[in-house]
PDB file of all heavy atoms in Angstrom:
ATOM      1  N   ILE A  60      51.205  83.284  36.803  1.00 85.00           N
ATOM      2  CA  ILE A  60      51.392  83.558  35.363  1.00 85.00           C
ATOM      3  C   ILE A  60      50.668  82.566  34.524  1.00 85.00           C
ATOM      4  O   ILE A  60      50.713  82.615  33.295  1.00 85.00           O
ATOM      5  CB  ILE A  60      52.879  83.596  34.984  1.00 85.00           C
ATOM      6  CG1 ILE A  60      53.530  82.239  35.187  1.00 85.00           C
ATOM      7  CG2 ILE A  60      53.609  84.660  35.777  1.00 85.00           C
ATOM      8  CD1 ILE A  60      54.959  82.196  34.725  1.00 85.00           C
ATOM      9  N   LYS A  72      69.471  77.461  48.742  1.00 96.00           N
ATOM     10  CA  LYS A  72      70.718  78.011  48.275  1.00 96.00           C
ATOM     11  C   LYS A  72      71.045  77.543  46.842  1.00 96.00           C
ATOM     12  O   LYS A  72      70.706  76.436  46.440  1.00 96.00           O
ATOM     13  CB  LYS A  72      71.871  77.540  49.210  1.00 96.00           C
ATOM     14  CG  LYS A  72      71.807  78.103  50.621  1.00 96.00           C
ATOM     15  CD  LYS A  72      71.993  79.625  50.616  1.00 96.00           C
ATOM     16  CE  LYS A  72      72.054  80.179  52.045  1.00 96.00           C
ATOM     17  NZ  LYS A  72      72.178  81.675  52.016  1.00 96.00           N
ATOM     18  N   ILE A  85      63.269  59.353  31.425  1.00 95.00           N
ATOM     19  CA  ILE A  85      62.794  60.344  30.440  1.00 95.00           C
ATOM     20  C   ILE A  85      62.191  59.618  29.297  1.00 95.00           C
ATOM     21  O   ILE A  85      62.419  58.404  29.083  1.00 95.00           O
ATOM     22  CB  ILE A  85      63.943  61.278  29.973  1.00 95.00           C
ATOM     23  CG1 ILE A  85      64.948  60.480  29.130  1.00 95.00           C
ATOM     24  CG2 ILE A  85      64.630  61.954  31.158  1.00 95.00           C
ATOM     25  CD1 ILE A  85      66.062  61.296  28.551  1.00 95.00           C
ATOM     26  N   SER A  87      61.807  59.375  25.198  1.00 96.00           N
ATOM     27  CA  SER A  87      62.307  59.806  23.880  1.00 96.00           C
ATOM     28  C   SER A  87      61.880  58.753  22.846  1.00 96.00           C
ATOM     29  O   SER A  87      61.485  57.615  23.201  1.00 96.00           O
ATOM     30  CB  SER A  87      63.834  59.969  23.869  1.00 96.00           C
ATOM     31  OG  SER A  87      64.457  58.689  23.971  1.00 96.00           O
ATOM     32  N   ALA A 107      59.652  61.658  15.019  1.00 97.00           N
ATOM     33  CA  ALA A 107      59.745  60.403  15.724  1.00 97.00           C
ATOM     34  C   ALA A 107      59.177  60.497  17.152  1.00 97.00           C
ATOM     35  O   ALA A 107      58.476  59.589  17.591  1.00 97.00           O
ATOM     36  CB  ALA A 107      61.218  59.933  15.765  1.00 97.00           C
ATOM     37  N   THR A 117      48.140  55.916  23.314  1.00 96.00           N
ATOM     38  CA  THR A 117      46.856  55.417  22.766  1.00 96.00           C
ATOM     39  C   THR A 117      46.850  53.904  22.570  1.00 96.00           C
ATOM     40  O   THR A 117      45.775  53.321  22.641  1.00 96.00           O
ATOM     41  CB  THR A 117      46.542  56.091  21.407  1.00 96.00           C
ATOM     42  OG1 THR A 117      47.574  55.748  20.482  1.00 96.00           O
ATOM     43  CG2 THR A 117      46.477  57.605  21.562  1.00 96.00           C
ATOM     44  N   TYR A 128      53.258  59.279  33.571  1.00 94.00           N
ATOM     45  CA  TYR A 128      53.710  60.632  33.280  1.00 94.00           C
ATOM     46  C   TYR A 128      53.132  61.165  31.990  1.00 94.00           C
ATOM     47  O   TYR A 128      52.596  62.274  31.938  1.00 94.00           O
ATOM     48  CB  TYR A 128      55.243  60.647  33.208  1.00 94.00           C
ATOM     49  CG  TYR A 128      55.847  61.852  32.504  1.00 94.00           C
ATOM     50  CD1 TYR A 128      55.534  63.150  32.921  1.00 94.00           C
ATOM     51  CD2 TYR A 128      56.662  61.722  31.413  1.00 94.00           C
ATOM     52  CE1 TYR A 128      56.081  64.265  32.261  1.00 94.00           C
ATOM     53  CE2 TYR A 128      57.185  62.809  30.727  1.00 94.00           C
ATOM     54  CZ  TYR A 128      56.871  64.071  31.199  1.00 94.00           C
ATOM     55  OH  TYR A 128      57.428  65.152  30.511  1.00 94.00           O
ATOM     56  N   LEU A 129      53.174  60.388  30.909  1.00 95.00           N
ATOM     57  CA  LEU A 129      52.728  60.877  29.586  1.00 95.00           C
ATOM     58  C   LEU A 129      51.265  61.194  29.565  1.00 95.00           C
ATOM     59  O   LEU A 129      50.839  62.087  28.797  1.00 95.00           O
ATOM     60  CB  LEU A 129      53.045  59.811  28.506  1.00 95.00           C
ATOM     61  CG  LEU A 129      54.532  59.507  28.309  1.00 95.00           C
ATOM     62  CD1 LEU A 129      54.729  58.503  27.172  1.00 95.00           C
ATOM     63  CD2 LEU A 129      55.346  60.764  28.005  1.00 95.00           C
ATOM     64  N   THR A 131      49.626  62.873  31.403  1.00 91.00           N
ATOM     65  CA  THR A 131      49.376  64.264  31.865  1.00 91.00           C
ATOM     66  C   THR A 131      49.565  65.289  30.757  1.00 91.00           C
ATOM     67  O   THR A 131      49.292  66.466  30.939  1.00 91.00           O
ATOM     68  CB  THR A 131      50.345  64.604  33.011  1.00 91.00           C
ATOM     69  OG1 THR A 131      51.686  64.727  32.490  1.00 91.00           O
ATOM     70  CG2 THR A 131      50.341  63.541  34.082  1.00 91.00           C
ATOM     71  N   ASP A 137      38.307  68.820  22.850  1.00 85.00           N
ATOM     72  CA  ASP A 137      37.162  69.722  22.694  1.00 85.00           C
ATOM     73  C   ASP A 137      37.645  71.092  22.125  1.00 85.00           C
ATOM     74  O   ASP A 137      36.825  71.763  21.462  1.00 85.00           O
ATOM     75  CB  ASP A 137      36.481  69.975  24.044  1.00 85.00           C
ATOM     76  CG  ASP A 137      35.812  68.678  24.565  1.00 85.00           C
ATOM     77  OD1 ASP A 137      35.421  67.861  23.705  1.00 85.00           O
ATOM     78  OD2 ASP A 137      35.718  68.530  25.791  1.00 85.00           O
ATOM     79  N   GLN A 148      41.709  81.407   8.366  1.00 95.00           N
ATOM     80  CA  GLN A 148      42.209  82.659   7.792  1.00 95.00           C
ATOM     81  C   GLN A 148      41.695  83.887   8.594  1.00 95.00           C
ATOM     82  O   GLN A 148      42.460  84.852   8.791  1.00 95.00           O
ATOM     83  CB  GLN A 148      41.721  82.781   6.335  1.00 95.00           C
ATOM     84  CG  GLN A 148      42.440  81.847   5.386  1.00 95.00           C
ATOM     85  CD  GLN A 148      43.944  82.034   5.357  1.00 95.00           C
ATOM     86  OE1 GLN A 148      44.438  83.139   5.403  1.00 95.00           O
ATOM     87  NE2 GLN A 148      44.663  80.926   5.351  1.00 95.00           N
ATOM     88  N   ASP A 202      39.111  58.184   7.450  1.00 91.00           N
ATOM     89  CA  ASP A 202      38.034  57.969   6.490  1.00 91.00           C
ATOM     90  C   ASP A 202      38.304  58.915   5.339  1.00 91.00           C
ATOM     91  O   ASP A 202      37.973  60.095   5.393  1.00 91.00           O
ATOM     92  CB  ASP A 202      36.667  58.256   7.122  1.00 91.00           C
ATOM     93  CG  ASP A 202      35.531  58.040   6.125  1.00 91.00           C
ATOM     94  OD1 ASP A 202      35.792  57.754   4.952  1.00 91.00           O
ATOM     95  OD2 ASP A 202      34.347  58.244   6.537  1.00 91.00           O
ATOM     96  N   ASN A 246      58.137  77.085  34.941  1.00 93.00           N
ATOM     97  CA  ASN A 246      57.798  78.110  33.937  1.00 93.00           C
ATOM     98  C   ASN A 246      59.028  78.851  33.447  1.00 93.00           C
ATOM     99  O   ASN A 246      60.092  78.826  34.040  1.00 93.00           O
ATOM    100  CB  ASN A 246      56.778  79.103  34.544  1.00 93.00           C
ATOM    101  CG  ASN A 246      55.400  78.509  34.631  1.00 93.00           C
ATOM    102  OD1 ASN A 246      54.928  77.913  33.642  1.00 93.00           O
ATOM    103  ND2 ASN A 246      54.704  78.692  35.746  1.00 93.00           N
ATOM    104  N   GLY A 270      81.217  56.969  27.433  1.00 60.00           N
ATOM    105  CA  GLY A 270      82.504  56.287  27.428  1.00 60.00           C
ATOM    106  C   GLY A 270      82.567  55.230  26.352  1.00 60.00           C
ATOM    107  O   GLY A 270      81.849  55.242  25.354  1.00 60.00           O
ATOM    108  N   ALA A 355      54.826  81.660  18.576  1.00 94.00           N
ATOM    109  CA  ALA A 355      54.842  80.864  17.358  1.00 94.00           C
ATOM    110  C   ALA A 355      55.342  79.456  17.600  1.00 94.00           C
ATOM    111  O   ALA A 355      54.826  78.485  17.077  1.00 94.00           O
ATOM    112  CB  ALA A 355      55.651  81.572  16.267  1.00 94.00           C
ATOM    113  N   ASP A 410      88.622  96.357  18.460  1.00 54.00           N
ATOM    114  CA  ASP A 410      89.594  97.344  18.924  1.00 54.00           C
ATOM    115  C   ASP A 410      89.266  97.821  20.338  1.00 54.00           C
ATOM    116  O   ASP A 410      90.177  98.057  21.141  1.00 54.00           O
ATOM    117  CB  ASP A 410      89.590  98.538  17.948  1.00 54.00           C
ATOM    118  CG  ASP A 410      90.285  98.233  16.624  1.00 54.00           C
ATOM    119  OD1 ASP A 410      90.955  97.177  16.550  1.00 54.00           O
ATOM    120  OD2 ASP A 410      90.144  99.003  15.688  1.00 54.00           O
ATOM    121  N   HIS A 426      89.489 108.125  28.033  1.00 30.00           N
ATOM    122  CA  HIS A 426      89.291 107.516  26.698  1.00 30.00           C
ATOM    123  C   HIS A 426      87.808 107.355  26.450  1.00 30.00           C
ATOM    124  O   HIS A 426      87.029 107.148  27.371  1.00 30.00           O
ATOM    125  CB  HIS A 426      89.982 106.170  26.621  1.00 30.00           C
ATOM    126  CG  HIS A 426      91.475 106.236  26.856  1.00 30.00           C
ATOM    127  ND1 HIS A 426      92.353 106.547  25.845  1.00 30.00           N
ATOM    128  CD2 HIS A 426      92.226 106.010  27.984  1.00 30.00           C
ATOM    129  CE1 HIS A 426      93.605 106.508  26.354  1.00 30.00           C
ATOM    130  NE2 HIS A 426      93.509 106.216  27.630  1.00 30.00           N
ATOM    131  N   GLU A 440      63.197  80.520  11.039  1.00 37.00           N
ATOM    132  CA  GLU A 440      62.741  79.128  11.111  1.00 37.00           C
ATOM    133  C   GLU A 440      62.679  78.574   9.714  1.00 37.00           C
ATOM    134  O   GLU A 440      62.543  79.289   8.723  1.00 37.00           O
ATOM    135  CB  GLU A 440      61.348  79.099  11.754  1.00 37.00           C
ATOM    136  CG  GLU A 440      61.340  79.510  13.194  1.00 37.00           C
ATOM    137  CD  GLU A 440      62.276  78.649  14.020  1.00 37.00           C
ATOM    138  OE1 GLU A 440      62.023  77.470  14.230  1.00 37.00           O
ATOM    139  OE2 GLU A 440      63.321  79.186  14.485  1.00 37.00           O
ATOM    140  N   CYS A 443      60.565  80.113   6.659  1.00 35.00           N
ATOM    141  CA  CYS A 443      60.296  81.526   6.825  1.00 35.00           C
ATOM    142  C   CYS A 443      60.369  82.278   5.489  1.00 35.00           C
ATOM    143  O   CYS A 443      61.244  81.979   4.684  1.00 35.00           O
ATOM    144  CB  CYS A 443      61.367  82.124   7.787  1.00 35.00           C
ATOM    145  SG  CYS A 443      61.260  83.916   7.927  1.00 35.00           S
ATOM    146  N   ASP A 456      70.053  84.577   1.597  1.00 47.00           N
ATOM    147  CA  ASP A 456      71.256  85.311   2.028  1.00 47.00           C
ATOM    148  C   ASP A 456      71.102  86.804   1.767  1.00 47.00           C
ATOM    149  O   ASP A 456      71.525  87.628   2.575  1.00 47.00           O
ATOM    150  CB  ASP A 456      72.481  84.769   1.282  1.00 47.00           C
ATOM    151  CG  ASP A 456      72.884  83.411   1.776  1.00 47.00           C
ATOM    152  OD1 ASP A 456      72.454  83.070   2.903  1.00 47.00           O
ATOM    153  OD2 ASP A 456      73.614  82.714   1.057  1.00 47.00           O
ATOM    154  N   PHE A 479      71.451 102.048   7.601  1.00 96.00           N
ATOM    155  CA  PHE A 479      70.679 102.000   6.373  1.00 96.00           C
ATOM    156  C   PHE A 479      70.002 103.347   6.125  1.00 96.00           C
ATOM    157  O   PHE A 479      70.013 103.873   4.996  1.00 96.00           O
ATOM    158  CB  PHE A 479      69.663 100.913   6.452  1.00 96.00           C
ATOM    159  CG  PHE A 479      68.723 100.835   5.277  1.00 96.00           C
ATOM    160  CD1 PHE A 479      69.150 100.413   4.028  1.00 96.00           C
ATOM    161  CD2 PHE A 479      67.399 101.197   5.428  1.00 96.00           C
ATOM    162  CE1 PHE A 479      68.303 100.373   2.957  1.00 96.00           C
ATOM    163  CE2 PHE A 479      66.513 101.168   4.335  1.00 96.00           C
ATOM    164  CZ  PHE A 479      66.976 100.739   3.111  1.00 96.00           C
ATOM    165  N   GLU A 501      90.794  98.437   1.457  1.00 83.00           N
ATOM    166  CA  GLU A 501      90.675  99.082   2.759  1.00 83.00           C
ATOM    167  C   GLU A 501      89.774 100.284   2.582  1.00 83.00           C
ATOM    168  O   GLU A 501      90.230 101.413   2.322  1.00 83.00           O
ATOM    169  CB  GLU A 501      92.032  99.517   3.267  1.00 83.00           C
ATOM    170  CG  GLU A 501      92.951  98.322   3.570  1.00 83.00           C
ATOM    171  CD  GLU A 501      94.259  98.765   4.209  1.00 83.00           C
ATOM    172  OE1 GLU A 501      94.423  99.967   4.451  1.00 83.00           O
ATOM    173  OE2 GLU A 501      95.128  97.906   4.412  1.00 83.00           O
ATOM    174  N   ILE A 555      50.360  92.368  20.515  1.00 97.00           N
ATOM    175  CA  ILE A 555      49.997  93.602  19.823  1.00 97.00           C
ATOM    176  C   ILE A 555      50.279  94.799  20.672  1.00 97.00           C
ATOM    177  O   ILE A 555      50.817  95.823  20.227  1.00 97.00           O
ATOM    178  CB  ILE A 555      48.532  93.557  19.389  1.00 97.00           C
ATOM    179  CG1 ILE A 555      48.309  92.427  18.358  1.00 97.00           C
ATOM    180  CG2 ILE A 555      48.126  94.902  18.791  1.00 97.00           C
ATOM    181  CD1 ILE A 555      46.847  92.195  18.000  1.00 97.00           C
TER     182      ILE A 555
END
Side-chain angles (χ1 to χ4, degrees):
I60 64 175
K72 293 294 185 183
I85 67 175
S87 70
T117 62
Y128 160 58
L129 297 182
T131 71
D137 294 332
Q148 289 303 318
D202 180 357
N246 283 316
D410 286 347
H426 300 277
E440 293 303 291
C443 174
D456 288 341
F479 175 71
E501 295 185 4
I555 296 172

